[in-house]
Amino acid sequence: MAFHSFFISLHFQQTLLMEEYIVSARKYRPLSFDTVVGQGALTTTLKNAVKSGKLAHAYLFCGPRGVGKTTCARIFAKAINCQNPTSDGEACNQCESCQSFNEQRSLNIFELDAASNNSVEHIKTLMEQTRIPPQVGKYKVFIIDEVHMLSTSAFNAFLKTLEEPPAHVIFILATTEKHKILPTILSRCQIYDFERMTVQNTVNHLKHVAEKEGIQYEDEALAVIAEKADGGMRDALSIFDQAASFCQGNITYQKVIEDLNVLDSEYYFRIVDYSVQNKVTDIMVLLNDVINKGFDGGLLVQGLAKHVRNVLMAKDPQTLPLLEVSEQQRQRYQEQAQRVDTRFCYEALRLMNQCDVNYRQSSNKRLLVELTLIEVAQITQPDEGPANGRRPRRLKSLFRQLIQQTQPKQSAPQVAAAVAKGHTAAGAQGLPRTAQGSPSPANSEVSAQQTPAAPAPRIKVSAIGTSWNTLRQQAGSSKFTNLAGMGSGESAVDQQQPFTQDELELQWLSMCNRMPEHLVGIAQRMKNMTPQITELPAVEVTVGNQLVKDEMERILGSIVNTLKLHLKNNAITLTIHVAEREEQEKMLTRREQFELMVNQNPAIGKLQEVFELELA
């Protein structure tokens, strides 16, 4: 019986010990301003406000998760109601108000979770409590956590009380998303922006907790935990508890990266060393090992980009403090920075950033990562052509080769004919000239025989294809390029070729389309005119009024010369006739023109019905 009682007592004690376990985030929660980590400027401001008694009626604490917003709100609320505050603005922890707060029985401090109490009814209930003055202390403090979760109606109900609260009421609002709060609320609060925890501050606090708990640790292991926490102290303490349970009281680097599934930084150091030495094969083997361990290729690229960034920061003593790593890791970065060129870091960061952008859209993610690492490994290679299996360093050289391959080879007669085409080209080649300025026939034959040995004409990369400027130059090379200079001069060759009415109308319309921009007005009017052959080669055109006739007569010489050139008849004459009133025809709209066509040809109407066409 005694043994049974002893067993029950032992089991009760073990159960009691298990129930008394408190996670580090709660056990080591700061209880005073001096114990808050990483928020020195904010805590100093709050302590000065307590000492001077200059308190605002509403405060807004905003910042990332786990940086101490709610903790500072509670410490501030306790210090406000402390009956005997210290000289530096801290609570005394001896008075009735402080003891009731520490024992969680204070009636002057209220906490509301806006995530689950975000309706208008909850806010109205809270507003009713503001009318009752405090029983102990000076103020009633209302701490509203995650205030951005309040609905718009709740914000509006809260607005009037927040603007003019009773003298004994102070509101402390806390949020992680300040941009979701109404501007009318923000303008009525003193705003305090909490900073993210630095890696060094987090490591120092974890060391303090580890010493209190009697846990052995390695600095690199705590640095990994701090980086994993991403600026949140609460997250860091939670990860610390997890690592302490896994490591059984001895937190080492290898056990931490195994427990947290973090890629060992040794891989990054080795990849950079291999890249500088152009060892592509070793990098591919290393990548395969990383993927076989279950790590994603995109995670490797992101970690490698961060590593190269740290190497770049370690090259300059001024940027060395930007490395948020342990002292041992900092020394390794400095050693590798001495072996790596700055240009390599810039190019590697560019390539990995491009890979990170394209990673999600890629259908073959591993191939994308492999190509990126191959390019990184080739950064320090000398520039060589693609014949050696290395990527070309200049895209222009590739285009030059394509031009040379696709350029047609000209035969000797073709080149000779091209050279003899103009006296300028002949002069450029240094050919002998006759007295009239044209190359002699004998010399032309000699040049035709020697031409194949001459180098091919150079072609610019920018000349590949056809541009709008090229089309405009081709279209306007012979007409309307210089209207003022054409006048009524005659062509060099005397031509008398006959032409038809259809040819006349075609060349007339083509001429109107080629006219320059400053003549676009008269060109549009001329498109609606139909020139007529009165007696070949005499041409007559009828205009609507005298103003149009006067405008056409200003460029009459250019019009006639254009028709002579394209109709190959130098005897063409153009007469401009102003239509009489009875000769003027009514201008038809598009709809009227279409209806007229349908009346003349019913098949057009059937075509419209079959294809369900609409007139644009």
Side-chain angles (χ1 to χ4, degrees):
M1 185 69 180
F3 177 79
H4 182 67
S5 300
F6 173 78
F7 179 79
I8 294 176
S9 176
L10 181 61
H11 178 71
F12 177 78
Q13 291 179 2
Q14 292 177 349
T15 304
L16 186 62
L17 289 175
M18 292 179 63
E19 292 178 353
E20 290 178 352
Y21 173 75
I22 303 176
V23 296
S24 299
R26 293 179 55 196
K27 185 176 181 180
Y28 295 97
R29 192 168 194 170
L31 299 176
S32 62
F33 287 121
D34 293 336
T35 56
V36 176
V37 180
Q39 309 295 341
L42 273 72
T43 55
T44 301
T45 304
L46 295 177
K47 287 193 295 184
N48 292 337
V50 173
K51 288 190 298 183
S52 62
K54 298 179 180 179
L55 302 174
H57 64 275
Y59 296 85
L60 176 62
F61 294 169
C62 51
R65 68 182 190 278
V67 295
K69 299 184 295 296
T70 307
T71 298
C72 286
R74 292 176 178 177
I75 297 173
F76 188 45
K78 182 173 69 171
I80 288 174
N81 281 319
C82 181
Q83 298 175 354
N84 301 308
T86 61
S87 57
D88 57 350
E90 294 280 6
C92 67
N93 287 321
Q94 301 295 330
C95 63
E96 174 61 24
S97 177
C98 293
Q99 291 181 359
S100 62
F101 177 83
N102 294 335
E103 296 173 1
Q104 299 182 359
R105 56 181 178 83
S106 176
L107 299 177
N108 295 337
I109 299 175
F110 298 89
E111 290 192 32
L112 178 68
D113 181 20
S116 56
N117 302 278
N118 54 6
S119 64
V120 179
E121 289 74 15
H122 293 110
I123 294 299
K124 288 182 178 180
T125 303
L126 183 67
M127 297 303 100
E128 291 177 357
Q129 297 180 7
T130 60
R131 302 175 182 177
I132 305 174
Q135 303 300 319
V136 178
K138 300 179 181 179
Y139 300 98
K140 265 195 171 182
V141 183
F142 295 87
I143 302 175
I144 305 178
D145 201 6
E146 301 299 334
V147 69
H148 66 274
M149 299 292 290
L150 289 177
S151 63
T152 305
S153 301
F155 268 128
N156 294 330
F158 180 49
L159 189 61
K160 185 61 178 178
T161 304
L162 183 66
E163 182 178 9
E164 297 178 358
H168 58 271
V169 173
I170 293 179
F171 293 102
I172 303 178
L173 314 179
T175 180
T176 56
E177 302 183 33
K178 183 175 67 173
H179 60 279
K180 291 186 178 181
I181 301 178
L182 296 179
T184 51
I185 298 292
L186 295 176
S187 63
R188 289 166 170 81
C189 301
Q190 281 191 8
I191 302 176
Y192 290 81
D193 291 310
F194 283 67
E195 301 177 359
R196 294 175 66 255
M197 295 293 170
T198 63
V199 172
Q200 192 59 44
N201 286 338
T202 305
V203 170
N204 292 337
H205 189 64
L206 293 179
K207 288 181 180 179
H208 171 72
V209 174
E211 292 172 358
K212 290 285 187 180
E213 296 291 329
I215 298 175
Q216 299 179 359
Y217 59 87
E218 293 181 0
D219 290 346
E220 293 184 4
L222 298 183
V224 171
I225 295 175
E227 292 179 7
K228 188 75 173 179
D230 193 24
M233 185 62 72
R234 182 172 61 242
D235 294 349
L237 291 172
S238 300
I239 298 173
F240 176 82
D241 290 343
Q242 177 183 343
S245 300
F246 180 79
C247 301
Q248 293 295 318
N250 185 14
I251 302 178
T252 62
Y253 176 77
Q254 292 297 331
K255 291 183 178 179
V256 166
I257 63 175
E258 180 183 355
D259 180 38
L260 301 180
N261 195 29
V262 177
L263 187 59
D264 190 357
S265 61
E266 183 65 25
Y267 283 102
Y268 302 136
F269 284 101
R270 292 168 60 186
I271 289 177
V272 172
D273 289 336
Y274 289 153
S275 300
V276 174
Q277 301 171 11
N278 310 128
K279 295 182 178 180
V280 177
T281 306
D282 294 337
I283 294 178
M284 292 297 102
V285 174
L286 201 63
L287 173 63
N288 185 70
D289 184 26
V290 171
I291 294 178
N292 289 339
K293 289 185 177 181
F295 292 99
D296 183 59
L299 180 64
L300 173 66
V301 172
Q302 294 176 5
L304 184 60
K306 183 178 180 181
H307 176 86
V308 175
R309 176 260 181 193
N310 290 343
V311 172
L312 185 62
M313 295 298 105
K315 294 183 71 66
D316 193 335
Q318 295 182 353
T319 56
L320 188 60
L322 299 179
L323 299 183
E324 296 183 345
V325 295
S326 61
E327 187 62 30
Q328 184 178 357
Q329 288 284 86
R330 182 173 293 144
Q331 293 178 0
R332 291 199 62 186
Y333 278 117
Q334 286 181 296
E335 294 174 0
Q336 191 172 66
Q338 296 175 359
R339 304 190 300 267
V340 177
D341 185 37
T342 304
R343 187 180 66 86
F344 169 83
C345 296
Y346 291 151
E347 185 67 15
L349 287 174
R350 185 188 66 81
L351 292 172
M352 286 181 288
N353 180 67
Q354 183 178 0
C355 177
D356 186 42
V357 171
N358 299 329
Y359 188 78
R360 292 184 178 180
Q361 290 77 18
S362 176
S363 58
N364 193 341
K365 299 185 183 334
R366 176 165 181 171
L367 179 60
L368 177 63
V369 175
E370 289 176 346
L371 290 176
T372 302
L373 294 179
I374 291 173
E375 288 184 320
V376 171
Q378 291 181 340
I379 292 175
T380 57
Q381 278 187 351
D383 295 349
E384 296 187 13
N388 294 334
R390 298 172 181 173
R391 67 185 180 95
R393 304 298 294 174
R394 299 288 188 272
L395 290 178
K396 290 185 178 180
S397 62
L398 176 60
F399 288 137
R400 189 178 299 112
Q401 294 174 5
L402 292 175
I403 296 170
Q404 293 175 358
Q405 292 175 3
T406 58
Q407 182 177 350
K409 297 183 179 179
Q410 296 180 347
S411 61
Q414 291 174 339
V415 176
V419 173
K421 187 174 182 179
H423 65 276
T424 305
Q429 296 291 336
L431 297 177
R433 298 180 180 276
T434 61
Q436 286 78 12
S438 59
S440 62
N443 290 333
S444 299
E445 294 178 359
V446 174
S447 62
Q449 296 176 359
Q450 296 178 352
T451 302
R458 296 179 121 184
I459 300 178
K460 295 183 180 180
V461 177
S462 59
I464 299 177
T466 303
S467 64
W468 287 109
N469 291 331
T470 306
L471 293 176
R472 294 192 187 98
Q473 292 173 2
Q474 293 176 355
S477 59
S478 57
K479 277 89 46 195
F480 286 96
T481 54
N482 188 4
L483 290 173
M486 293 186 66
S488 60
E490 297 181 357
S491 302
V493 181
D494 189 12
Q495 295 179 341
Q496 300 291 336
Q497 182 175 339
F499 55 89
T500 63
Q501 178 67 29
D502 293 338
E503 292 176 346
L504 173 62
E505 294 179 2
L506 176 62
Q507 295 303 328
W508 181 274
L509 184 61
S510 300
M511 174 184 64
C512 296
N513 290 332
R514 292 192 300 268
M515 293 177 70
E517 294 183 0
H518 68 278
L519 297 177
V520 63
I522 187 62
Q524 291 296 331
R525 294 185 178 93
M526 290 173 60
K527 286 181 182 180
N528 298 326
M529 303 176 187
T530 303
Q532 298 290 335
I533 301 176
T534 56
E535 183 177 355
L536 196 69
V539 179
E540 184 184 46
V541 62
T542 303
V543 299
N545 52 65
Q546 186 65 34
L547 294 178
V548 177
K549 179 181 178 181
D550 295 341
E551 192 170 356
M552 288 183 63
E553 287 180 346
R554 295 192 187 99
I555 57 174
L556 181 61
S558 299
I559 295 175
V560 173
N561 289 337
T562 302
L563 295 177
K564 289 179 179 180
L565 178 63
H566 288 275
L567 293 176
K568 296 180 176 56
N569 193 316
N570 294 333
I572 294 178
T573 60
L574 178 63
T575 303
I576 304 176
H577 171 66
V578 179
E580 299 296 336
R581 183 177 300 275
E582 58 273 8
E583 295 178 357
Q584 295 181 0
E585 298 181 358
K586 177 185 177 182
M587 298 297 295
L588 302 179
T589 63
R590 291 182 179 270
R591 174 64 63 181
E592 293 173 344
Q593 293 176 3
F594 177 74
E595 292 176 353
L596 181 61
M597 292 172 58
V598 171
N599 293 332
Q600 296 176 356
N601 191 352
I604 298 178
K606 295 181 180 180
L607 183 66
Q608 180 194 19
E609 296 176 358
V610 171
F611 290 98
E612 298 181 354
L613 302 177
E614 294 183 0
L615 185 64

